[in-house]
Amino acid sequence: RALAGVGEVTKEALGVVGQCERREHRQLDVLVDVVERRQVQEQALVEERTQALALANQQLQLISNTDGLTGIANRRHFDQTLAHEWARAQRGQTPLSLIMLDVDVFKHFNDHYGHLAGDRVLQAVAQTLNACVRPMDTLARYGGEEFAVVLPACQGPFGQAAAERIRRAIETTVVQVAPHKKLCVTVSIGGAFALQWVRSTTTLWTDRADSQLYQAKTTGRNRICIEAQPNSTVSAEEKSLLFGPLYS
């Protein structure tokens, strides 16, 4: 009988222990579930903040590359794009054109109608230019009343045609600077080509285009001066000198 009583007590004790273990397992499962849900929430929060930070960085990058007045690319972005396109043209031996343009008599607009009128002129010119260029081109405010356009994969005749299209579009643009005052605007344009077979720099290339712009300004304004593209063909005499016998 004593042994039987001990067995019953042991069974009862084992049952209590089992209940405790099951209760502990349930509590542990609840704790694990809470921890996992918290980890998921924290991961979602981290991803949300990472995306917000990436978006803020993109917006900051856009602001740092955009001219505040006209909304087009600024000089900083132009310089970066120019270097990139120049290197790509040199590697791929592809044509590349650069157009620089300056608003004619801009100082006159500022002096006679005020700087607000001058700002509206620049904004109107930028808007018109933006409608003239291709998606692959880079339009930028180079400084003051001067703008620049980088035209990748653009042969000489097409660069000339693009410049003339821009000149005509600006010439027909009327800028409303006051309730009863409209201004007609013109630009002078200079351009140069990146010569694939000549080792040079973006600085020299820009100087060549700027020199053409200066020529357009000093020879009457509202005109185009594009650097003549050199003829790269080899004459018969040159071929004889290059490939003829070294000694006669």
Side-chain angles (χ1 to χ4, degrees), residues 194-205:
L195 307 177
Q196 303 97 311
W197 59 89
V198 176
R199 298 182 64 86
S200 185
T201 65
T202 55
T203 301
L204 293 175
W205 184 34

Side-chain angles (χ1 to χ4, degrees), residues 90-106:
Q90 294 295 307
R91 288 194 306 270
Q93 295 292 290
T94 55
L96 183 63
S97 296
L98 172 63
I99 291 175
M100 302 188 73
L101 55 112
D102 189 89
V103 180
D104 295 328
V105 296
F106 183 73

Side-chain angles (χ1 to χ4, degrees), residues 106-176:
F106 183 73
K107 186 176 183 300
H108 171 79
F109 296 146
N110 274 337
D111 292 344
H112 286 75
Y113 306 107
H115 290 279
L116 181 59
D119 289 347
R120 289 177 177 172
V121 168
L122 294 177
Q123 290 168 342
V125 169
Q127 184 177 2
T128 302
L129 287 172
N130 209 27
C132 291
V133 299
R134 304 168 300 176
M136 64 191 296
D137 300 332
T138 298
L139 165 66
R141 185 181 178 193
Y142 192 73
E145 67 272 22
E146 194 170 353
F147 297 83
V149 187
V150 183
L151 301 100
C154 184
Q155 297 280 2
F158 298 107
Q160 182 82 28
E164 178 59 22
R165 181 172 67 250
I166 288 172
R167 190 197 65 78
R168 289 182 179 179
I170 298 296
E171 188 180 35
T172 58
T173 298
V174 178
V175 185
Q176 185 89 40

Side-chain angles (χ1 to χ4, degrees), residues 200-219:
S200 185
T201 65
T202 55
T203 301
L204 293 175
W205 184 34
T206 305
D207 287 344
R208 286 167 31 219
D210 198 53
S211 176
Q212 295 296 313
L213 172 59
Y214 177 77
Q215 184 177 342
K217 297 284 287 186
T218 56
T219 54

